[in-house]
Amino acid sequence: MLDVCLLGTGGMMPLPYRKLTALMTRFNGSNLLIDCGEGTQVAVKEKGWSFHDIDIICFTHFHADHISGLPGLLLTMGNAERTQPLLMIGPKGLERVVTALRVIAPELPFPIRFHELTHREEVVRVKGYKIHAFRVQHNVACYGYSLEIERQGRFDVGRAVEADIPQKFWSRLQKGEVIGDGDRTLTPDMVLGPPRRGIKVTYCTDTRPTSLIAECAKDSDLFICEGMYAEKDKIEKARQYKHMTFYEAAKLADAAGVAEMWLTHFSPSLVHAENYMKDVKAIFPYASLGKDGRSVELDFIDE
């Protein structure tokens, strides 16, 4: 099961009713954070989730509304007696930017490891997550992320017996081990069926719509996508500042065949966003507004 919480939904500046951009997920005792805008710590506290268990922080890009909450978060994580390494993933220049921000958070009881993205698409596997980073189209280097929890095939007793594999090895093979047994090498594919459908969440913000976004979000259980502007007369502003409208996001969701879409990263000038949703749902019926603290538990589906 993957827990997902949209901690903040605001773009550019925080508002009394809307914190800046951040998303947190929980899987198998490990927390992952995407972006860390101002107010992220408060949002985590309100949700009742742990700072100590954040093992991975992914950054879409380095504009302040996506990273300004980081120094305080690092200090809080340090005060929570964290000692294990923290992995940060983000565009090229990540280590330089974080080092600069750490002028006000210089001493931490845990090491930080950096993975800087330089290619159009990259995959990082860590803590049970398959993190697929893909470049989007903003006015600075910016990435979207698909998070996948992969699921191996079912254990096939018949195949194990037919291959004359001792029962003492079954559990280890099921866990993915490769085992030497005399002159034979036993591998998991000898006892497992084809991979089953896992869980997939795609997060994308601060970009114009691109075909790559639809490709990478394909078949996501949840697509969280920016809708900076809802007013139809703001399409030129969206193009100028490299953002998306509600309707462009809905078209991407439809093209990607996702199960559900939450809109996020709203302009500070946007009020009564619900008034625009009828037209959005005409494009993609499974669209809805994200809101601070909105969460969902996604579970594996047996087909």
Side-chain angles (χ1 to χ4, degrees):
M1 183 173 65
L2 179 70
D3 293 322
V4 181
C5 182
L6 191 54
L7 297 171
T9 58
M12 297 176 63
M13 65 181 73
L15 297 171
Y17 53 88
R18 193 184 290 157
K19 300 177 183 68
L20 287 178
T21 304
L23 174 83
M24 186 178 279
T25 65
R26 301 193 304 181
F27 174 70
N28 200 25
S30 179
N31 293 1
L32 178 149
L33 185 68
I34 301 182
D35 285 339
C36 188
E38 186 178 340
T40 296
Q41 287 196 79
V42 175
V44 174
K45 278 288 188 183
E46 288 176 347
K47 183 60 181 174
W49 287 6
S50 170
F51 298 105
H52 184 275
D53 298 325
I54 298 173
D55 295 312
I56 309 142
I57 304 179
C58 303
F59 295 100
T60 56
H61 62 300
F62 304 136
H63 280 161
D65 55 335
H66 293 258
I67 198 171
S68 59
L70 181 63
L73 176 66
L74 292 176
L75 287 171
T76 298
M77 291 171 67
N79 290 334
E81 300 182 349
R82 179 193 180 88
T83 57
Q84 63 266 40
L86 171 67
L87 173 65
M88 292 190 183
I89 301 171
K92 186 177 180 179
L94 174 64
E95 185 171 3
R96 173 180 54 82
V97 171
V98 172
T99 299
L101 290 171
R102 283 193 57 199
V103 168
I104 57 173
E107 296 183 8
L108 297 173
F110 55 87
I112 298 176
R113 296 173 181 166
F114 297 94
H115 181 105
E116 298 197 353
L117 303 167
T118 57
H119 300 288
R120 184 170 181 258
E121 297 180 62
E122 293 188 36
V123 172
V124 179
R125 283 182 166 85
V126 59
K127 295 288 184 177
Y129 291 96
K130 176 186 175 185
I131 303 169
H132 178 192
F134 52 93
R135 193 173 294 162
V136 297
Q137 189 183 72
H138 195 36
N139 52 20
V140 296
C142 188
Y143 283 82
Y145 293 94
S146 283
L147 310 177
E148 292 186 61
I149 307 299
E150 297 177 303
R151 195 181 187 196
Q152 67 182 20
R154 295 182 185 278
F155 183 79
D156 190 328
V157 174
R159 291 182 64 195
V161 171
E162 185 178 344
D164 195 27
I165 296 174
Q167 191 170 348
K168 64 182 180 180
F169 295 139
W170 289 6
S171 176
R172 292 170 60 189
L173 289 169
Q174 195 171 2
K175 293 175 181 176
E177 287 189 49
V178 175
I179 302 169
D181 179 30
D183 59 355
R184 290 199 307 170
T185 299
L186 307 179
T187 57
D189 61 279
M190 297 172 70
V191 297
L192 298 178
R196 290 173 287 173
R197 186 176 185 274
I199 299 171
K200 182 176 179 181
V201 174
T202 299
Y203 182 89
C204 182
T205 183
D206 288 63
T207 179
R208 294 294 298 145
T210 71
S211 59
L212 182 60
I213 297 172
E215 292 170 18
C216 294
K218 183 174 175 57
D219 297 330
S220 292
D221 298 283
L222 176 60
F223 179 39
I224 300 175
C225 186
E226 85 151 336
M228 188 76 172
Y229 305 110
E231 306 91 332
K232 292 184 178 179
D233 61 356
K234 289 192 175 180
I235 180 62
E236 289 305 321
K237 193 170 184 178
R239 289 172 179 153
Q240 178 183 358
Y241 293 105
K242 299 292 191 295
H243 286 288
M244 269 194 276
T245 67
F246 278 22
Y247 317 101
E248 290 173 320
K251 289 176 182 176
L252 279 178
D254 183 61
V258 304
E260 183 179 4
M261 178 182 71
W262 295 354
L263 290 164
T264 190
H265 198 268
F266 306 120
S267 167
S269 65
L270 178 62
V271 294
H272 301 300
E274 65 277 3
N275 293 343
Y276 301 93
M277 290 306 294
K278 181 178 178 181
D279 289 343
V280 173
K281 286 177 176 288
I283 300 169
F284 184 71
Y286 309 106
S288 58
L289 293 169
K291 64 179 181 179
D292 290 12
R294 184 176 182 181
S295 60
V296 66
E297 295 179 354
L298 298 175
D299 210 344
F300 295 111
I301 299 173
D302 286 320
E303 298 176 331

